[in-house]
């Protein structure tokens, strides 16, 4: 671990849906920047083999755990600086929600539930809780990662971003309050027939 550079984490199935092909295509660029990456998951054998090659090539920058391990997953959620979810499609996006609770900043592809959960951080306004990219391409993922590292390197902006992340509330209690507000407003309006 090198405290001067960020740690990116990925926890999930090692399958095309989760964008593991994009992540694998970005590993060489990450290594050139001396960034660190830890991956936990199981999935398709061809992805296992490709990632094992990268681990051998860049052992000082890339940790790989081909396993299902909830305890290790929690350590990655809590210990990484950034959480990667470059999914092709994602109906929910539970991983980034968990990461936000730990103050780990998500970098996600703008799709499905991920686009509903993560808002692009703007260092000037202090608004947002993560970083997004739209096009399904490794270069776009890497650009989002580079923006994220730019914020990581500025303590004041980074502190604000982590605060924003930890302030997110995706609990059922929060959802219930919003539903109750909608129902109360609806109840007060007379129906037009």
């Amino acid at each position: 671990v090198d405290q001067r550079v960020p740690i990116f984490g990925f926890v999930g199935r090692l399958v095309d849906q989760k964008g593991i092909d994009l992540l694998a295509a970005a590993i060489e660029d990450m290594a050139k920047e001396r960034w660190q990456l830890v991956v936990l998951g199981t999935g398709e054998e061809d992805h296992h083999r490709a990632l094992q090659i990268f681990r051998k090539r860049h052992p000082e920058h890339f940790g790989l755990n081909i396993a299902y391990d909830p305890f290790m997953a929690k350590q990655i959620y809590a210990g990484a600086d950034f959480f990667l979810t470059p999914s092709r499609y994602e109906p929910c996006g539970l991983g980034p929600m968990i990461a936000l609770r730990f103050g780990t900043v998500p970098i996600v592809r703008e799709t499905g539930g991920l686009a509903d959960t993560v808002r692009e951080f703007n260092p000037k306004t202090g608004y947002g809780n993560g970083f997004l990219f739209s096009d399904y391409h490794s270069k776009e993922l890497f650009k989002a990662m580079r923006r994220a590292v730019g914020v990581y390197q500025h303590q004041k902006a980074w502190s604000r971003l982590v605060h924003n992340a930890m302030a997110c509330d995706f609990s059922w209690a929060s959802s219930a309050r919003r539903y109750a507000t909608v129902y109360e407003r609806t109840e007060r309006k007379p129906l037009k027939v």
Side-chain angles (χ1 to χ4, degrees), residues 100 103 128 157-168:
L100 287 164
W158 176 248
S159 294
R160 179 63 191 180
L161 174 55
V162 171
H163 178 269
N164 292 357
M166 294 181 84
C168 292

Side-chain angles (χ1 to χ4, degrees), residues 100-111:
L100 287 164
R101 287 300 287 163
F102 284 104
T104 301
V105 175
I107 300 172
V108 305
R109 181 161 173 270
E110 194 172 10
T111 185

Side-chain angles (χ1 to χ4, degrees), residues 7-10 38 75-83 102-105:
I7 298 175
F8 294 84
F10 176 94
V38 61
Q75 289 181 310
I76 293 169
Y77 283 122
D81 299 298
F82 299 105
F83 187 78
F102 284 104
T104 301
V105 175

Side-chain angles (χ1 to χ4, degrees), residues 28-40:
E28 290 295 337
D29 289 330
M30 292 179 70
K32 287 176 190 167
E33 296 290 334
R34 304 189 54 75
W35 299 340
Q36 300 170 87
L37 170 65
V38 61
V39 172
L40 171 66

Side-chain angles (χ1 to χ4, degrees), residues 31 84 137 147 181 187:
L84 299 171
H137 194 280
R147 287 195 313 276
T181 301
E187 188 177 275

